[in-house]
Amino acid sequence: MKHIASLTAVILLSLSLFSLQSKAQGWPANYGGVMLQGFYWDSYADSQWSYLESQADDLAPYFSLIWAPPSANANSIGGNMGYYPAYFFNQNSSFGTEGQLRSMIQTFKQKGTGIIADVVVNHHADNGTQPYNAFFSETYNGTTYSLLSSDICRNDEISSQATGLSTNNDTGDNDGGCRDLDHKSQNVNAIVKAYEQFLLNDLGYCGFRYDMVKGYSASYITDYNNASHPTFSVGENWSGTGTIKNWIDGTKGTDGTPTSAAFDFPFRYCMRNAISTGNWANLSAATQGADGKPLIQTPAYRQYAVTFVDNHDMRDTPGENNAPITTNVTAANAFLLSMPGTPCVFYRHWLSYKKDIKLMIEARRLAGIQNTSNYELLRSTASNYAVKTTGTKGSLLCVVGSKPTDYAPDADYRLLCSGTDYCLYINSAAYADWDATKARIEEEEKGTAFTPYDITIYCSADFSPLYFYAWVGKDTQLLGSWPGKQMTQTKQVDGKTWYYQTFSITSADYYVNIIFNQGNNKPQTSNIHRLTTDKYFTATISGDKVAYTDVTSTTGISHIDAPATADGNGKARVIANGQGLFIEQPDGTRYTLDGKRR
């Protein structure tokens, strides 16, 4: 009952924040929610709108906010993260259709979780015709919106070849791969404001994550947020402490209150420094000077600090020094979730360390830690770093380092959870019902035995030859390198010829991705992600691409036999009925496709 009451309180808090959407701006004070970045770079399968929606029951109890990848069409559906958007109001992207997006947002909203839109308005993709100063026009609610050549900053990189650009220089940094918009333009202002109101009032987003805010003056954030009234606003100002604070101050409205929070990049770099050097005292940034101190160390900026360990931009990119943290990940998240500010958990970490992160979030909730909470540094050495954060319900004590158990807390503190290089404690008065909370999470993550099974992917194409290119994970190829395997084996179903290929599903989290194509340098489909059951597709040439349609529901297939179980006693099978798809064992026991018993 404790968890249900706690969850109900979270939902009521979230819904109350939704009701304040017409009034609130920036980031609410005394906010106790945790945010999830619901994607990573190239997470086209794991961040599909339909897949995120299918995870709502698992995500919503722990996250009050989910930051979604850019949803505007980037004119390259099927393999584009969306950071060079070609449209504003067209919301069909690499992550799914607009209908799927709306459904996902609504499902989470009903469960008390708000979706944060990734807003890219510093720059915009042209329509691809030289001299690259023309854009796609869009009509929304009877109004046509068109960016003009005069909306491009005078010092954009195309200025030497294009005419009719703005007379104004950029008010911030340049983006070399896209057209930099002149936010002094009334036309740009009008389109951005209409776009943001569309995101909030039509699609149902609850707030914005502003991409590359170093590209234009902070005063425009004030203007845009005053016009759209997001409940939550956070800017990506990839800088040192002083610059970020100045940017937050630059978003202040007439009442002197900032209209946006900012990501606490110094927090992340202190964490990386501590882990890479093995010196956990570096968490306080004592060796980095004032510009390296996390925002949360300054009480006046705590409310506006969105802290994080890693994000989609932290990846092994040649020439960049932003490699992701790969060791001490659970310790890093324990510290993140124990501190004030609003913590943003990285999706990869959630997928890999779900049980640990659930326990940490519940520990934070148990103590009642908020973004404005105070904390006290108890120990700062190379081998362990201890902080106590005082919430509305108790005090959470976090110890991280190579020897976390060397720090002995006061006798009044009880251990909540521990792992590689971290321990979390709470004062005894706040400990009540923790054992039940821990048992519930352990039961959620215990999983069930999984029986491997086979799936078959069918395709009926109006062209030949037909190739199947298939992979799992990031780049594990299943049918050879591109363009894959030329299909020759066929089956007749209802008088129609289908090419087919069978794959083995070897674990509860295993899925197949596929592309149908004509061969090397020939037309192809976009990526088809997360296949875990038999599927039937039709494919047809459409211009310079291959269009596909999932026609599985019209084939009349009612079940799919899977290979014999390990003990040889019959076969498991995948059943499709009105309740969805699930695996039925020979004894009649049924499991969902992610291995949970029905």
Side-chain angles (χ1 to χ4, degrees):
M1 288 299 296
K2 180 72 175 179
H3 177 62
I4 295 174
S6 174
L7 178 57
T8 301
V10 171
I11 292 175
L12 290 175
L13 172 63
S14 300
L15 291 176
S16 68
L17 289 173
F18 286 130
S19 70
L20 291 174
Q21 211 170 72
S22 62
K23 300 178 182 179
Q25 293 177 36
W27 206 273
N30 306 316
Y31 182 64
V34 177
M35 182 162 71
L36 173 73
Q37 180 179 2
F39 64 100
Y40 52 87
W41 202 262
D42 292 339
S43 63
Y44 302 118
D46 286 337
S47 300
Q48 286 284 304
W49 308 136
S50 57
Y51 182 67
L52 285 173
E53 182 177 6
S54 74
Q55 304 303 300
D57 286 339
D58 198 27
L59 291 169
Y62 298 95
F63 297 103
S64 299
L65 299 169
I66 297 177
W67 161 24
S71 57
N73 189 310
N75 203 31
S76 182
I77 296 175
N80 190 307
M81 289 299 295
Y83 284 103
Y84 284 170
Y87 297 89
F88 291 102
F89 302 96
N90 181 333
Q91 295 286 303
N92 298 297
S93 70
S94 295
F95 301 97
T97 65
E98 179 180 312
Q100 292 170 330
L101 173 64
R102 288 179 181 275
S103 179
M104 183 269 291
I105 292 173
Q106 187 61 29
T107 293
F108 276 103
K109 188 172 183 178
Q110 290 172 350
K111 296 179 183 296
T113 297
I115 305 299
I116 300 288
D118 202 320
V119 174
V120 185
V121 293
N122 170 69
H123 49 267
H124 202 73
D126 55 75
N127 65 10
T129 59
Q130 294 183 353
Y132 309 115
N133 62 337
F135 302 90
F136 295 104
S137 293
E138 302 178 77
T139 299
Y140 170 69
N141 274 355
T143 301
T144 298
Y145 298 92
S146 302
L147 286 171
L148 308 173
S149 180
S150 57
D151 293 326
I152 302 172
C153 293
R154 181 174 66 176
N155 54 341
D156 189 84
E157 60 270 17
I158 67 166
S159 59
S160 63
Q161 61 191 97
T163 60
L165 303 189
S166 171
T167 58
N168 301 314
N169 283 335
D170 204 331
T171 57
D173 292 351
N174 176 63
D175 185 289
C178 221
R179 305 291 70 77
D180 281 58
L181 299 181
D182 175 19
H183 290 267
K184 293 181 180 179
S185 162
Q186 291 184 358
N187 188 47
V188 170
N189 260 244
I191 292 175
V192 171
K193 289 174 182 177
Y195 170 52
E196 291 191 345
Q197 290 167 6
F198 161 70
L199 292 174
L200 294 178
N201 303 326
D202 193 332
L203 291 181
Y205 282 109
C206 71
F208 307 136
R209 177 267 183 185
Y210 283 101
D211 179 65
M212 195 180 168
V213 296
K214 291 170 67 175
Y216 50 100
S217 171
S219 63
Y220 294 109
I221 297 291
T222 308
D223 187 25
Y224 296 145
N225 282 351
N226 281 339
S228 58
H229 306 293
T231 303
F232 303 92
S233 171
V234 56
E236 181 210 26
N237 194 315
W238 199 334
S239 306
T241 310
T243 302
I244 299 175
K245 287 181 177 178
N246 288 338
W247 182 84
I248 292 173
D249 290 340
T251 72
K252 288 181 178 179
T254 55
D255 62 353
T257 302
T259 60
S260 186
F263 285 103
D264 196 344
F265 278 88
F267 179 97
R268 192 269 170 183
Y269 282 104
C270 286
M271 178 63 68
R272 187 189 67 175
N273 190 25
I275 290 174
S276 63
T277 62
N279 183 354
W280 291 85
N282 286 330
L283 283 175
S284 64
T287 62
Q288 299 184 39
D291 214 38
K293 292 183 180 296
L295 292 181
I296 58 170
Q297 290 190 8
T298 305
Y301 290 91
R302 241 171 240 167
Q303 173 182 339
Y304 304 104
V306 177
T307 54
F308 68 101
V309 172
D310 268 338
N311 68 21
H312 63 294
D313 283 323
M314 307 302 166
R315 53 194 201 277
D316 296 308
T317 304
E320 293 186 7
N321 188 28
N322 297 304
I325 293 172
T326 56
T327 60
N328 306 104
V329 173
T330 50
N333 279 279
F335 184 72
L336 171 76
L337 290 161
S338 300
M339 299 298 284
T342 298
C344 182
V345 174
F346 187 37
Y347 196 26
R348 279 196 181 279
H349 295 172
W350 168 256
L351 294 175
S352 299
Y353 306 100
K354 193 180 294 186
K355 176 183 173 182
D356 300 85
I357 291 174
K358 283 184 175 182
L359 289 168
M360 295 168 191
I361 292 174
E362 289 288 16
R364 179 185 184 86
R365 187 176 293 164
L366 189 65
I369 295 175
Q370 299 175 336
N371 58 353
T372 51
S373 295
N374 293 316
Y375 70 95
E376 177 185 357
L377 178 60
L378 303 177
R379 177 178 291 182
S380 178
T381 69
S383 60
N384 57 52
Y385 189 91
V387 290
K388 180 179 70 174
T389 304
T390 302
T392 60
K393 302 175 185 176
S395 295
L396 185 66
L397 198 159
C398 174
V399 186
V400 291
S402 58
K403 299 178 180 179
T405 56
D406 280 3
Y407 180 85
D410 293 343
D412 184 49
Y413 281 83
R414 300 183 63 178
L415 180 68
L416 293 176
C417 55
S418 61
T420 303
D421 293 345
Y422 80 90
C423 295
L424 292 183
Y425 305 86
I426 201 166
N427 57 309
S428 297
Y431 187 86
D433 294 332
W434 175 254
D435 291 339
T437 297
K438 187 174 181 180
R440 170 181 54 78
I441 292 174
E442 289 177 344
E443 180 64 25
E444 286 177 2
E445 296 305 311
K446 182 172 62 177
T448 56
F450 178 83
T451 302
Y453 63 96
D454 286 352
I455 65 170
T456 302
I457 306 303
Y458 299 86
C459 182
S460 176
D462 66 354
F463 56 85
S464 181
L466 171 66
Y467 288 81
F468 282 19
Y469 176 75
W471 74 100
V472 296
K474 185 177 181 181
D475 52 14
T476 302
Q477 299 168 333
L478 298 179
L479 300 174
S481 59
W482 183 263
K485 178 181 177 181
Q486 182 176 345
M487 305 311 299
T488 57
Q489 50 191 6
T490 62
K491 285 184 178 180
Q492 296 292 315
V493 178
D494 295 333
K496 195 170 188 176
T497 300
W498 300 84
Y499 293 95
Y500 69 94
Q501 180 67 41
T502 297
F503 303 92
S504 294
I505 303 298
T506 58
S507 65
D509 59 356
Y510 188 99
Y511 55 83
V512 175
N513 310 298
I514 200 162
I515 295 173
F516 303 124
N517 67 92
Q518 282 191 298
N520 199 31
N521 297 319
K522 298 289 182 65
Q524 66 182 68
T525 63
S526 56
N527 300 348
I528 307 172
H529 291 116
R530 198 171 282 279
L531 302 177
T532 57
T533 62
D534 283 16
K535 286 287 185 179
Y536 289 78
F537 297 95
T538 59
T540 183
I541 297 294
S542 178
D544 59 351
K545 299 179 181 179
V546 175
Y548 72 90
T549 303
D550 184 346
V551 295
T552 306
S553 62
T554 64
T555 63
I557 302 298
S558 61
H559 72 272
I560 309 155
D561 283 334
T565 54
D567 60 9
N569 295 324
K571 292 184 176 182
R573 63 177 184 167
V574 177
I575 305 294
N577 65 15
Q579 295 178 316
L581 293 164
F582 53 90
I583 300 169
E584 184 179 82
Q585 300 284 15
D587 64 0
T589 305
R590 293 179 176 179
Y591 298 88
T592 60
L593 294 181
D594 60 3
K596 295 181 180 179
R597 186 165 179 167
R598 288 182 65 97

